[in-house]
Amino acid sequence: MKRICLLLLLSLCCLPLSAQTAGKTAQQLEGAARDRAIAAILQANDLRTTLQFRFVMTRHSALLTEDVVSRGRAAYAYPDKVRWEVEKPRPSLFVMNGINPGDRRQQSLMRHVAKLGEKGLINETDFNVTVYASPEVWQVDLIPLRRDLSQLFTRITLLTDVGTGALRSIVLSEQGGDTTQLELSSVVRGETLDPGLFQKP
């Protein structure tokens, strides 16, 4: 769970959506239209800020008889403060307040967050990027080019609002066929957060 919540925070930003794709009517964007969509998404989803939001995380696995659905709330302050609180079905809390110098995995993940802050949510150095458009949704499929990312995911799908570029949903397709979808709501960006949110229990 700790790994999944941190990986999802690597990909983060805004609003809810239940569909996992832009739909059959979606058309692949090319040239200037693709560039405009990517620019709008990058502008709307700058990670160099604070976020508070509620989430619904749905995990699908062939090993399970039904999907596992978790609900809760989270807070994030760039670059290294995270609070991930699952309220249902089983309460749990993960808090990170700065990077633990002895935790190499945490250091590696936070380097990725810093890279996302610099390069943006979509970068064509680490991913093969395909953008689709439907009347309401831009769908961005990110196929990992880097070995470390491709060992985790076959694809990361971002669904964003066509009007604002704001991220609505993230779908992580893992090696082995499992998927995790994160939908966010009640998002507040850029406000000063109470330091107590990041105090470890």
Side-chain angles (χ1 to χ4, degrees):
M1 173 60 110
K2 177 177 169 181
R3 178 183 76 112
I4 289 293
C5 85
L6 284 172
L7 289 169
L8 287 166
L9 283 166
L10 293 179
S11 313
L12 259 195
C13 278
C14 287
L15 306 170
L17 183 73
S18 56
Q20 289 192 9
T21 64
K24 293 180 181 179
T25 61
Q27 295 182 342
Q28 185 173 340
L29 296 180
E30 304 279 350
R34 178 184 183 274
D35 294 344
R36 282 193 300 274
I38 290 174
I41 293 166
L42 290 174
Q43 183 176 359
N45 298 289
D46 189 344
L47 289 178
R48 294 167 296 181
T49 187
T50 62
L51 296 170
Q52 293 182 89
F53 54 88
R54 298 199 66 78
F55 66 82
V56 176
M57 185 167 65
T58 304
R59 183 153 175 77
H60 173 79
S61 173
L63 300 175
L64 302 172
T65 56
E66 59 184 42
D67 291 348
V68 176
V69 180
S70 303
R71 299 173 188 275
R73 57 186 174 172
Y76 168 75
Y78 181 81
D80 59 7
K81 291 180 173 49
V82 176
R83 179 185 179 91
W84 189 270
E85 184 176 358
V86 176
E87 298 168 327
K88 295 178 182 180
R90 287 192 306 263
S92 65
L93 177 64
F94 168 73
V95 176
M96 185 171 74
N97 190 347
I99 300 170
N100 178 350
D103 189 333
R104 289 186 181 191
R105 181 191 228 173
Q106 198 178 85
Q107 291 174 356
S108 174
L109 286 168
M110 289 302 101
R111 277 196 299 274
H112 290 306
V113 170
K115 191 181 216 181
L116 281 172
E118 294 167 14
K119 291 187 173 182
L121 197 58
I122 302 167
N123 81 75
E124 301 193 62
T125 303
D126 298 332
F127 298 98
N128 181 8
V129 179
T130 308
V131 183
Y132 301 91
S134 69
E136 296 182 358
V137 176
W138 280 321
Q139 175 179 323
V140 181
D141 287 346
L142 305 170
I143 307 297
L145 297 174
R146 286 192 357 228
R147 186 173 177 218
D148 59 337
L149 293 172
S150 64
Q151 288 175 339
L152 296 170
F153 306 113
T154 58
R155 174 185 318 239
I156 299 171
T157 300
L158 310 176
L159 298 176
T160 73
D161 182 80
V162 167
T164 64
L167 188 62
R168 295 178 168 194
S169 180
I170 303 163
V171 181
L172 303 176
S173 300
E174 300 174 34
Q175 294 290 351
D178 293 356
T179 60
T180 302
Q181 180 176 4
L182 184 69
E183 301 174 50
L184 297 101
S185 61
S186 304
V187 176
V188 179
R189 296 175 54 86
E191 290 193 359
T192 301
L193 300 182
D194 179 354
L197 287 171
F198 306 107
Q199 295 302 313
K200 296 187 178 182

